[in-house]
């Protein structure tokens, strides 16, 4: 819950808007960078989680690298001061234009997702008389035990190369003289809170690095990807991702050899709890079976509940107490799926009440759309 000074400030603002608590963001970044620094781990921020300029500026000030999945993300990272020597570029469908841009920018490494892509990067690098650093993204077939739509590391997923394709990867690496093999990359999914999953990933990474070394490819970089989850149910009482346990698992279970670097690509855990979507109740519809709170924000501002059945805490900032009523909290968009959550217990609510949808710092603003020709909403920041 926000304190009254903040809620009073919200009263005069046009809704909806994203609210970023820069203090929470700073504390989270401190916790993350302190926990990783203990073991000398390298952290890249996954730009896709939130590329709001002020958010990027603060993250960059902590000296972390950037994990990008498009040419424009590479461009934004460099424009916001991220060290290009700490930029990694993943993505299953990098276009020639994007690869050329990243080659010209001299990024740290391409996380390559297929044998064909290795050849394309090699050709484009050769044309520029350059050598491209590459890591092979391996699909380790490890179940992330998260929502099906945000699972990426199973055989059925489109990402990375499968283990049975590794001999072809080795052949391609031998042929491609404009590539420099740096290491191996993984990303098995998102919103993972079960540390056992990361233990399984470590086991698989250990096997994979042995495979490459046995085939004559020294592995300098072990990139474990991202995925660390946050507590969407308790943003106030458990507002920090468990960075300590997360990095400790890799410290304890990853077989790190002398001279090797361990890299991470965290998105959600770094930004999710610092953001909220603030909206107003436009209408209250009391029905025989259902009561609806119709907000001025919808799936165009936060699509996660509609796309992944994701839970977000919903609070009425205008009423601290009152008779509790169950509402379906919905948006104004002309789609039945435009519902943030059904049967939410809230104090009796009225037109004009301010509603906060919490933990919206990751994958909210960046996934906004202009569907129904909606306005692009503003962002508001705490000091
Ligand atoms: N590295 C790679 C290669 C990725 O694909 C992702 C996320 C990350 C790192 C960062 O993962 P994180 O630490 O944020 O879990 N829109 C979905 C999440 C999609 C994640 C896509 N990849 C959501 O709202 O839950």
């Amino acid at each position: 819950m926000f304190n009254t000074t903040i809620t009073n400030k919200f009263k005069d603002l046009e809704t909806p808007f994203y609210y970023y608590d820069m203090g929470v963001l700073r504390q989270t970044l401190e916790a993350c960078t302190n926990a990783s620094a203990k073991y000398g781990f390298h952290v890249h921020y996954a730009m896709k989680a939130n590329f709001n300029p002020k958010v990027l500026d603060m993250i960059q000030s902590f000296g972390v690298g950037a994990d990008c999945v498009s040419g424009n993300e590479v461009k934004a990272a460099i424009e916001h001061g991220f060290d290009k020597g700490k930029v990694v570029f993943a993505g299953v469908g990098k276009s020639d234009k994007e690869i050329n841009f990243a080659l010209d920018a001299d990024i740290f490494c391409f996380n390559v997702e297929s044998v064909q892509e290795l050849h394309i990067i090699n050709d484009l690098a050769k044309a520029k008389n350059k050598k491209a650093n590459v890591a092979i993204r391996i699909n380790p077939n490890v179940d992330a035990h998260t929502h099906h739509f945000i699972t990426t590391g199973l055989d059925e997923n489109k990402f990375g190369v499968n283990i049975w394709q590794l001999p072809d990867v080795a052949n391609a690496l031998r042929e491609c003289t404009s590539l420099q093999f740096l290491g191996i990359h993984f990303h098995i999914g998102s919103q993972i809170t079960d540390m056992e999953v990361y233990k399984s990933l470590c086991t698989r990474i250990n096997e994979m690095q042995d495979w490459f070394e046995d085939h004559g490819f020294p592995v300098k970089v072990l990139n474990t990807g991202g995925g660390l989850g946050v507590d969407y149910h308790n943003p106030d009482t458990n507002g920090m991702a468990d960075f300590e346990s997360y990095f400790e698992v890799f410290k304890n279970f990853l077989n790190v050899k002398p001279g090797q670097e361990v890299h991470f690509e965290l998105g959600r855990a770094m930004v999710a709890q610092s953001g909220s979507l603030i909206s107003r109740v436009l209408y209250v519809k009391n029905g025989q079976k259902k009561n609806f709170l119709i907000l001025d924000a919808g799936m165009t501002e936060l699509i996660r509940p509609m796309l992944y059945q994701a839970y977000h805490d919903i609070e009425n900032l205008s009423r601290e107490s009152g008779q509790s009523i169950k509402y379906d909290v919905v948006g104004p968009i002309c789609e039945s799926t435009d519902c943030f959550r059904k049967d939410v217990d809230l104090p009796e609510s009225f037109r004009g009440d301010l509603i906060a949808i919490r933990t919206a710092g990751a994958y909210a603003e960046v996934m906004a759309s202009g569907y129904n020709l909606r306005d692009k909403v503003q962002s508001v920041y705490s000091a």
Side-chain angles (χ1 to χ4, degrees):
M1 197 56 147
F2 299 104
N3 65 38
T4 38
T5 326
I6 299 174
T7 318
N8 283 338
K9 200 175 123 192
F10 289 169
K11 278 184 190 150
D12 303 324
L13 300 175
E14 185 183 337
T15 49
F17 58 85
Y18 301 102
Y19 171 69
Y20 292 106
D21 186 325
M22 300 309 271
V24 169
L25 180 59
R26 193 178 298 110
Q27 279 169 14
T28 310
L29 294 166
E30 272 165 13
C32 175
T33 48
N34 288 341
S36 58
K38 267 206 259 175
Y39 311 118
F41 289 161
H42 299 253
V43 173
H44 303 263
Y45 167 61
M47 300 268 294
K48 67 175 81 63
N50 191 321
F51 38 73
N52 174 298
K54 284 210 163 60
V55 170
L56 282 187
D57 286 342
M58 178 168 294
I59 296 174
Q60 172 296 117
S61 74
F62 279 77
V64 296
D67 161 44
C68 304
V69 285
S70 72
N72 285 341
E73 283 191 3
V74 173
K75 189 161 174 264
I78 293 169
E79 280 171 4
H80 282 273
F82 285 87
D83 179 349
K84 62 184 184 174
K86 293 184 184 174
V87 169
V88 294
F89 183 13
V92 72
K94 302 176 189 78
S95 70
D96 292 18
K97 184 177 164 194
E98 291 176 312
I99 295 169
N100 276 324
F101 181 81
L103 285 169
D104 290 339
D106 293 322
I107 63 163
F108 173 61
C109 189
F110 290 84
N111 291 333
V112 179
E113 310 225 6
S114 68
V115 174
Q116 194 173 21
E117 188 192 328
L118 278 174
H119 286 288
I120 299 299
I121 297 177
N122 181 60
D123 293 348
L124 295 172
K126 190 175 283 165
K128 290 179 185 293
N129 256 329
K130 289 196 165 191
K131 251 191 175 204
N133 284 339
V134 294
I136 306 300
R137 176 166 179 178
I138 300 171
N139 183 343
N141 201 21
V142 169
D143 191 344
H145 298 300
T146 184
H147 191 277
H148 185 63
F149 287 1
I150 51 175
T151 294
T152 49
L154 292 175
D155 272 350
E156 68 200 61
N157 297 125
K158 68 179 175 182
F159 301 99
V161 296
N162 293 314
I163 292 166
W164 51 268
Q165 292 169 312
L166 290 183
D168 292 341
V169 169
N171 288 338
L173 286 172
R174 283 191 199 99
E175 282 168 30
C176 293
T177 51
S178 297
L179 301 182
Q180 176 66 49
F181 173 76
L182 277 195
I184 49 180
H185 171 240
F186 301 80
H187 175 73
I188 54 172
S190 201
Q191 184 52 18
I192 300 167
T193 47
D194 176 0
M195 295 299 151
E196 293 298 317
V197 169
Y198 289 115
K199 282 190 199 168
S200 308
L201 175 62
C202 287
T203 308
R204 199 47 68 89
I205 297 176
N206 294 339
E207 290 164 10
M208 292 298 107
Q209 63 158 324
D210 287 348
W211 190 95
F212 275 90
E213 304 235 332
D214 290 349
H215 288 77
F217 297 98
V219 176
K220 187 174 164 230
V221 169
L222 302 173
N223 184 333
T224 72
L228 178 62
V230 298
D231 188 345
Y232 280 91
H233 288 263
N234 303 293
D236 291 319
T237 51
N238 189 21
M240 190 71 75
D242 192 357
F243 295 111
E244 294 285 339
S245 309
Y246 173 71
F247 290 120
E248 207 182 329
V249 168
F250 290 94
K251 159 79 177 72
N252 290 338
F253 295 93
L254 204 58
N255 181 11
V256 183
K257 298 178 183 155
Q260 273 183 338
E261 293 176 3
V262 185
H263 290 239
F264 295 83
E265 302 169 344
L266 293 175
R268 187 191 314 269
M270 287 164 93
V271 289
Q273 298 291 19
S274 63
S276 297
L277 174 62
I278 309 295
S279 67
R280 274 196 175 82
V281 176
L282 285 176
Y283 300 100
V284 183
K285 259 194 188 181
N286 292 319
Q288 282 184 334
K289 285 194 173 159
K290 285 277 184 190
N291 302 310
F292 293 98
L293 276 194
I294 301 169
L295 306 186
D296 60 7
M299 62 195 288
T300 41
E301 286 70 46
L302 176 67
I303 200 172
R304 302 193 68 259
M306 301 78 182
L307 203 53
Y308 319 113
Q309 298 80 48
Y311 180 98
H312 284 257
D313 189 44
I314 300 177
E315 295 166 12
N316 184 330
L317 302 180
S318 305
R319 325 237 153 228
E320 277 185 15
S321 56
Q323 189 202 342
S324 173
I325 294 190
K326 280 196 194 310
Y327 292 104
D328 282 12
V329 179
V330 303
I333 305 303
C334 296
E335 297 271 349
S336 296
T337 183
D338 185 31
C339 173
F340 288 109
R341 190 148 46 94
K342 291 184 195 286
D343 296 324
V344 184
D345 280 312
L346 287 171
E348 187 176 10
S349 303
F350 298 88
R351 175 174 165 85
D353 284 1
L354 281 167
I355 303 291
I357 305 182
R358 305 290 305 276
T359 320
Y363 305 110
E365 187 174 357
V366 284
M367 293 179 80
S369 79
Y371 186 42
N372 287 192
L373 206 52
R374 298 265 295 163
D375 286 335
K376 184 172 166 20
V377 308
Q378 301 302 308
S379 300
V380 172
Y381 311 87
S382 74

